[in-house]
Amino acid sequence: MELFSSLTPVFIAIICVLIGIILKSNRKNSKKGKRETKNKSESRPWVDDDLRDSTDLHVEEEDADGDWQGLDENIAHVSFSAEHYSEGEMIKRSKEFYELLSKRRSVRFISDEPVPREVINNVIKAAGTSPSGAHTEPWTFVVVQDPEVKQRIREIIEEEEEINYKKRMGDRWVNDLKRLRYLDYSSYLILILKQVYGMLPNGQRRTPLLNEIMLLPVVILFANVGLVTVTSTPLNCGPRLRVLLQRPKNEKLLLLLPVGYPSKDATVPDLTRKPLDDIMVVM
């Protein structure tokens, strides 16, 4: 008993030392984990940000409670009239328009033959007439014709796509990388960005109403002038492309459209469209 009693303080001291070592080790591991997380975040901050780009960004809490600003109720109105065609002319025009659009296809084989800039300007002006909530027109069309910028866009997309295929989605998508050559060869790259929020004169944010489907006419408009494109939504590239193009933080990438004439060796899948009865219900 005397021996045990004399050794008790020694055991207590050893236990205290061991506890101290364990606590110190845990603190080191915790700090190391935080540093690794911080370094990882700093090395590729756009990845996590762009994963959030797949959903709508929300305004800050202090702005969310404010009233949504629509058109001024006192805005002046002007008279409006539309062309009133005969029934025969309406049928004729509707058939012709359908026949034009039925030929539209998504094409990845695009020529680098120059396209008149005025054509691109007119198409984007027409696309700008798309409907938007309270006439906010919350979009920006970035037209890229500089070969170096187009090449940098392709590099960013390829870098992110490789990460997507290897770490996020698996190898089954890897063959799609081979198709990115159209980004270089197209006459123009047009990036459509949605303005997630606007600024009111008083400095408050305004969240516009925009359904992305409202911008689909831009694809149709290219078919009207004999140009081709393919809709592309590069995954996890939005913030990096926004920084490259020097666009503000309130803009979010919606679509990337390579635009040009079809190349001489262009091909498209042999597909047919659904018949009317499969896509329309009359009640």
Side-chain angles (χ1 to χ4, degrees):
M1 290 293 293
E2 291 181 359
L3 178 62
F4 178 78
S5 177
S6 63
L7 291 177
T8 298
V10 176
F11 287 138
I12 293 175
I14 293 174
I15 292 172
C16 290
V17 171
L18 290 174
I19 292 174
I21 292 173
I22 292 171
L23 291 175
K24 186 175 181 179
S25 176
N26 287 340
R27 283 197 295 268
K28 286 183 178 179
N29 291 335
S30 177
K31 290 180 180 179
K32 181 180 179 182
K34 290 180 180 178
R35 283 197 301 270
E36 289 176 351
T37 301
K38 182 179 180 181
N39 291 337
K40 182 178 179 181
S41 176
E42 289 175 351
S43 63
R44 300 180 67 78
W46 42 77
V47 174
D48 290 336
D49 287 344
D50 199 57
L51 289 175
R52 289 195 295 270
D53 269 9
S54 62
T55 59
D56 284 333
L57 301 179
H58 299 288
V59 297
E60 297 177 357
E61 290 297 327
E62 60 268 22
D63 297 326
D65 295 332
D67 293 333
W68 182 78
Q69 302 291 324
L71 284 177
D72 187 344
E73 293 180 356
N74 299 319
I75 191 171
H77 283 63
V78 295
S79 60
F80 172 81
S81 63
E83 191 72 32
H84 192 86
Y85 299 107
S86 67
E87 181 176 337
E89 181 65 16
M90 291 173 65
I91 294 174
K92 174 176 175 294
R93 292 172 67 91
S94 63
K95 283 184 176 179
E96 290 176 347
F97 192 60
Y98 165 73
E99 290 170 358
L100 170 65
L101 297 190
S102 67
K103 298 176 183 177
R104 188 208 62 78
R105 298 295 302 269
S106 295
V107 178
R108 289 184 170 85
F109 301 93
I110 302 177
S111 168
D112 60 357
E113 180 183 352
V115 173
R117 177 61 181 277
E118 185 177 0
V119 172
I120 300 299
N121 292 351
N122 289 336
V123 167
I124 292 180
K125 283 196 297 183
T129 66
S130 299
S132 61
H135 195 59
T136 52
E137 299 178 288
W139 43 62
T140 303
F141 297 86
V142 180
V143 179
V144 179
Q145 57 185 358
D146 187 314
E148 293 184 4
V149 179
K150 287 194 289 185
Q151 174 62 26
R152 184 60 188 134
I153 289 174
R154 175 174 177 172
E155 291 172 357
I156 289 174
I157 293 176
E158 287 182 336
E159 290 170 10
E160 293 298 333
E161 292 288 79
E162 184 176 3
I163 296 173
N164 291 335
Y165 300 143
K166 291 183 177 179
K167 297 183 179 180
R168 297 176 184 145
M169 296 186 296
D171 296 334
R172 64 193 182 95
W173 300 100
V174 75
N175 288 332
D176 288 348
L177 276 174
K178 300 175 183 178
R179 303 178 182 180
L180 293 178
R181 68 188 188 99
Y182 56 74
L183 296 176
D184 290 335
Y185 297 157
S186 58
S187 183
Y188 291 95
L189 288 182
I190 298 177
L191 295 90
I192 304 178
L193 297 100
K194 168 185 176 179
Q195 295 170 10
V196 182
Y197 60 84
M199 299 301 295
L200 297 172
N202 60 6
Q204 288 186 328
R205 293 183 180 184
R206 174 172 74 172
T207 304
L209 297 179
L210 172 64
N211 187 327
E212 280 78 354
I213 197 172
M214 295 176 178
L215 288 169
L216 286 182
V218 67
V219 179
I220 297 172
L221 293 168
F222 286 122
N224 185 53
V225 294
L227 299 177
V228 296
T229 186
V230 55
T231 56
S232 173
T233 52
L235 184 63
N236 302 319
C237 299
R240 292 183 69 184
L241 294 177
R242 177 179 56 76
V243 172
L244 173 68
L245 302 171
Q246 300 180 353
R247 301 306 309 163
K249 291 183 178 181
N250 69 321
E251 294 186 348
K252 164 187 166 185
L253 178 65
L254 290 181
L255 287 176
L256 185 153
L257 302 174
V259 176
Y261 299 103
S263 62
K264 294 181 179 179
D265 60 347
T267 61
V268 294
D270 186 11
L271 304 176
T272 58
R273 303 188 189 278
K274 293 181 178 180
L276 183 61
D277 289 343
D278 285 358
I279 63 172
M280 184 178 74
V281 175
V282 179
M283 303 180 70

